[in-house]
Amino acid sequence: MENVSEELRFLIERHSRGGSTTTAIPRVGLLRAERTTEPTAGMTELVICLVLQGAKAITCGENILHYGAGSYFVASVEVPVFGRISEASRQKPFLGVGFSFDARNIADLLIEMPDVRDPEFLCGLGVSPSDPQLEEAFLRMMRLFDRPNEISVMAPMIEREILFRLLQGPQGAKLRQIAQIDGRQSQVRRALAWIRENFTESFKVEDLARMTGMSVSVFHRHFKAATTMTPIQYQKRFRLHEARRLLLETPGDATRIAFAVGYESASQFSREYGRLFGLPPARDASRLRAKAIAPVTSGDPMMR
């Protein structure tokens, strides 16, 4: 096991350019950081992030997930979070590999696996210890960096093994929910997508529940279980993250941006922005620009 982990660390060090590194293997990214970081805002993708060295913390709503060497993080819903490298140094940098899920590949694999009864209410984020079989599959995938001519043939087969190992593990229910179009979490994701696409508009929870084919009470319970937030809290959090992105990409009047993301009161926007990010909008944007910290990706293959 240690030999596998050691080779994985070596390959990440060898092929990472620092920060977040995309690779020639589809949906596989590397992360290397030599220092701890401040919490950075972003949206989770449907992804696994396996950590080989160092540690990270993810804050979603009031919940904080810690994961480090020998563990992995899985996200099966797109939610606003804060990510922070909590353990890293020049001598022992944070090292991780991220792998984005393809729902079709999971669905194809599930056809050949026995049905499993999953919990009714499921959180969309989770952390678990890795195991030798999973790390060995990741190692075979990453060895393809040095054999690029084999990627098109071998990577899909190794991806299938990685998905199989995850489906059999403690986070398997999350992957099954990604693939099941009529699953409760997939229905919640449909509502999440609508909120993100129409984040400046007001809505009624009854309309979202109707969109997903659930009663209001059942929808509310599944939404809160998956995201740790209510629909209104999710919209508010997404608006503030979008406002932060706009402040950095197109610096300007905070009042104008407040109205652009759906707020009707600039003072309410400023209060809620400061409560979430720790500083008023203009000061926060100036601080981030001075430090050249990207607020959306956080240099992390699991966030955008």
Side-chain angles (χ1 to χ4, degrees):
M1 178 69 170
E2 179 55 33
N3 289 339
V4 171
S5 300
E6 183 177 348
E7 187 174 350
L8 281 167
R9 291 192 293 270
F10 170 78
L11 288 170
I12 295 174
E13 289 269 27
R14 180 179 173 187
H15 293 280
S16 172
R17 294 183 294 275
S20 179
T21 301
T22 57
T23 73
I25 303 175
R27 300 185 307 285
V28 174
L30 306 178
L31 181 61
R32 184 184 187 280
E34 292 187 352
R35 61 181 178 85
T36 59
T37 62
E38 297 180 4
T40 319
M43 290 286 296
T44 57
E45 296 184 339
L46 308 185
V47 71
I48 172 178
C49 183
L50 174 66
V51 177
L52 282 305
Q53 188 167 276
K56 184 163 185 177
I58 298 292
T59 302
C60 180
E62 301 301 318
N63 295 349
I64 302 178
L65 294 174
H66 298 274
Y67 61 108
S71 65
Y72 63 90
F73 167 89
V74 167
S76 60
V77 293
E78 303 90 341
V79 292
V81 298
F82 287 94
R84 174 178 176 267
I85 303 295
S86 56
E87 182 183 321
S89 67
R90 181 169 296 181
Q91 293 74 27
K92 294 189 68 174
F94 177 92
L95 300 174
V97 53
F99 174 50
S100 299
F101 297 126
D102 184 320
R104 293 168 299 181
N105 292 343
I106 300 173
D108 290 344
L109 187 57
L110 285 174
I111 293 173
E112 303 178 32
M113 298 180 67
D115 291 336
V116 177
R117 186 176 181 84
D118 292 322
E120 183 177 3
F121 298 97
L122 190 65
C123 181
L125 308 178
V127 170
S128 290
S130 60
D131 60 69
Q133 291 78 20
L134 181 62
E135 292 198 4
E136 287 167 4
F138 266 100
L139 178 57
R140 286 194 294 277
M141 180 74 86
M142 292 175 61
R143 282 173 175 165
L144 296 178
F145 293 154
D146 296 320
R147 300 195 295 270
N149 292 338
E150 298 181 8
I151 289 176
S152 61
V153 174
M154 298 300 299
M157 291 191 285
I158 301 172
E159 174 180 349
R160 186 176 173 87
E161 180 182 353
I162 290 173
L163 294 176
F164 176 75
R165 299 298 178 193
L166 291 171
L167 284 165
Q168 290 193 311
Q171 301 299 328
K174 293 179 175 52
L175 273 71
R176 286 187 284 273
Q177 283 295 311
I178 290 173
Q180 294 169 2
I181 297 176
D182 58 347
R184 292 302 198 192
Q185 202 166 96
S186 292
Q187 293 168 327
V188 167
R189 289 183 60 227
R190 194 178 311 148
L192 294 176
W194 188 94
I195 294 173
R196 292 195 303 274
E197 291 167 6
N198 304 275
F199 67 93
T200 63
E201 300 180 18
S202 59
F203 61 84
K204 294 181 179 179
V205 175
E206 292 85 350
D207 294 333
L208 293 179
R210 190 178 305 112
M211 180 192 308
T212 62
M214 290 184 256
S215 70
V216 172
S217 61
V218 171
F219 169 75
H220 194 277
R221 291 177 66 191
H222 280 285
F223 193 102
K224 187 72 179 289
T227 68
T228 76
M229 293 173 253
T230 67
I232 297 298
Q233 289 171 333
Y234 182 91
Q235 183 193 52
K236 181 182 296 184
R237 187 65 59 89
F238 186 82
R239 282 178 171 178
L240 292 171
H241 281 238
E242 182 68 9
R244 200 184 204 204
R245 183 186 67 80
L246 292 173
L247 282 164
L248 283 163
E249 290 187 357
T250 56
D253 179 31
T255 298
R256 176 183 59 81
I257 289 177
F259 293 140
V261 299
Y263 274 84
E264 298 179 357
S265 166
S267 60
Q268 180 185 1
F269 166 72
S270 185
R271 285 195 307 272
E272 293 182 351
Y273 188 104
R275 191 178 302 131
L276 181 62
F277 296 117
L279 286 173
R283 287 176 57 195
D284 179 56
S286 296
R287 177 180 66 89
L288 289 174
R289 280 193 293 271
K291 291 190 174 184
I293 298 176
V296 177
T297 63
S298 187
D300 191 330
M302 63 162 237
M303 289 166 60
R304 53 181 168 81

